[in-house]
Amino acid sequence: MYDYLKNNKDFKLVQVKNVEGKIIPKIEAYGKVWPYTSRLNIELQAYRKNLNGNGAKHMYNAAMILWPTQKDTWHYWSQKRFEAHVAGYNTITLAGGASCAKSYDAARIAILFWLANPTERTVLVASTSLGDLESRICGYVKRFYLMEHSIKLPGRLYSAQQPKILLKKEDSVHGMFALPLQKGTSQRTASTLIGRHPKEGFLAIIDEGTDVTPGFIDAIPNWQQGVQTFQLIVIGNSASKFDPHGLLSKPIKGWHTIDPDYDTEWETKNGVCLYFDCYQSPAILETDPIKKEKLGKFLFTEKSIEESKTKYGENTPSFWRFVRGFWPQDDLAKTILTPIMCDKFCVTESAEWEGIKPLIRLAGLDPAFHSDGDDCVF
């Protein structure tokens, strides 16, 4: 008998007759009868089904089974990321400074998503280079996968030029794959990403979304083909409203409608953007002094924010990007045209001309607000 049946009131052993009249053991939990299996498998399946709308709860339960020592540092930012993941969004962007644990939580989501159906799911994690992958999200994925668990995880880690976790070596489609986004044109980048078509679910996580080439956006329609579940998570320390991270984070009603002092979440064209303000850090708002100290080891604290003000200056692009975690204000940009100005006057929308007088082209202006732009003054 599994140990959890002795100490968890949500689970109990029941006897069920099959069609042949033979009595077989089953598990009754969360209002359903499940095969006689581990609690981890039940929690993962409940998360996969978003059972009774409590998918985030079951994700948390599965995470605590796998990594029980993390219970002491669980915080509401992680909860918010789990809840967004199961809410059915096609695209989620995570915006915030350098000490928000965005990549850390994305790695946990990646592992749990794959484990919920490893024979039919694909997870792709990508960044600017293999070095960046190893030092950030891919490193976290490997760390979580290789931790000692009470239950042996399926599959095997292959650490070749591009690390991957496969359930079966001969299956090159279903598994977890790390991939650097190659430099070059969008078409070239997209061509390296397409062609993966898992049977049931696809999760793509783009780390350093501010610095990657935008080719992965062209691959999205291909990734969505033939899968029941698709989600794109793009992570970044907000830099420009015209890089891939900024473009996918654009509010439906325009940037001028968002105030970083009040807004922490807004609807985008394809999903949602979650913004994590350093001043709202769990390590600042936590009331338990013991937990507050633990959270302060990897999240923003009052002290670390003040030190960053001294290092960068409070009203500088670096402070806004790496600490405040929000797109720099217009008055900090040394350019004639600014992103908010372009957004406010709808320069990317179509225009209709009266036709009374012939149209004469006077000038073409390139504000360079895009990935790989040189931020030219004019």
Side-chain angles (χ1 to χ4, degrees), residues 255-294:
W255 283 110
H256 61 282
T257 65
I258 302 299
D259 186 337
D261 290 330
Y262 300 98
D263 296 302
T264 60
E265 177 179 333
W266 55 85
E267 188 178 359
T268 63
K269 180 180 179 181
N270 297 307
V272 67
C273 176
L274 305 182
Y275 166 55
F276 305 97
D277 185 359
C278 65
Y279 293 113
Q280 301 298 317
S281 168
I284 295 176
L285 303 182
E286 177 59 50
T287 57
D288 182 343
I290 297 177
K291 185 173 182 179
K292 184 183 182 80
E293 182 180 0
K294 291 180 179 179

Side-chain angles (χ1 to χ4, degrees), residues 66-281:
L66 288 172
W67 313 295
T69 58
Q70 296 182 8
K71 185 175 293 186
D72 294 338
T73 55
W74 178 259
H75 52 86
Y76 67 89
W77 276 356
S78 296
Q79 183 70 25
K80 190 172 182 178
R81 292 158 189 165
F82 276 30
E83 289 173 349
H85 169 63
V86 300
Y89 293 114
N90 179 272
T91 301
I92 299 172
T93 56
L94 304 181
S99 296
C100 294
K102 302 183 297 296
S103 299
Y104 186 90
D105 281 338
R108 289 197 285 194
I109 291 172
I111 290 277
L112 294 169
F113 179 85
W114 181 66
L115 287 177
N117 191 7
T119 61
E120 297 185 348
R121 286 189 167 186
T122 296
V123 176
L124 177 68
V125 293
S127 188
T128 53
S129 66
L130 278 175
D132 288 333
L133 280 164
E134 288 289 347
S135 64
R136 294 180 61 81
I137 186 169
C138 184
Y140 288 134
V141 169
K142 291 167 66 174
R143 171 182 166 187
F144 290 139
Y145 183 77
L146 296 174
M147 280 183 179
E148 292 187 5
H149 306 97
S150 57
I151 302 173
K152 180 176 173 56
L153 296 185
R156 177 182 172 186
L157 172 65
Y158 296 88
S159 296
Q161 288 185 338
Q162 295 180 4
K164 55 189 174 184
I165 298 173
L166 301 177
L167 187 66
K168 298 179 180 179
K169 187 176 182 179
E170 61 272 16
D171 185 353
S172 60
V173 174
H174 303 99
M176 304 184 68
F177 304 87
L179 187 67
L181 292 182
Q182 298 179 6
K183 300 290 184 180
T185 65
S186 296
Q187 291 79 9
R188 179 184 174 188
T189 303
S191 67
T192 67
L193 297 173
I194 62 176
R196 301 174 189 270
H197 299 292
K199 295 179 181 178
E200 188 260 326
F202 194 124
L203 174 64
I205 302 177
I206 311 298
D207 208 356
E208 300 291 343
T210 54
D211 299 311
V212 299
T213 53
F216 74 88
I217 298 177
D218 298 328
I220 294 174
N222 182 271
W223 289 342
Q224 293 175 301
Q225 290 181 9
V227 295
Q228 300 173 29
T229 302
F230 171 79
Q231 188 173 86
L232 171 68
I233 299 177
V234 183
I235 308 166
N237 303 323
S238 313
S240 167
K241 297 181 177 73
F242 286 82
D243 62 32
H245 178 253
L247 289 170
L248 293 171
S249 299
K250 181 180 179 180
I252 283 184
K253 297 182 179 179
W255 283 110
H256 61 282
T257 65
I258 302 299
D259 186 337
D261 290 330
Y262 300 98
D263 296 302
T264 60
E265 177 179 333
W266 55 85
E267 188 178 359
T268 63
K269 180 180 179 181
N270 297 307
V272 67
C273 176
L274 305 182
Y275 166 55
F276 305 97
D277 185 359
C278 65
Y279 293 113
Q280 301 298 317
S281 168

Side-chain angles (χ1 to χ4, degrees), residues 347-364:
V347 300
T348 61
E349 304 299 326
S350 60
E352 294 184 7
W353 302 93
E354 292 181 347
I356 297 175
K357 297 181 179 180
L359 180 65
I360 301 174
R361 178 178 296 174
L362 298 179

Side-chain angles (χ1 to χ4, degrees), residues 35-51:
Y36 186 67
T37 184
S38 69
R39 180 184 174 187
L40 175 62
N41 286 336
I42 292 175
E43 296 289 1
L44 287 171
Q45 292 311 306
Y47 143 60
R48 177 186 170 193
K49 300 175 185 295
N50 196 17
L51 188 64

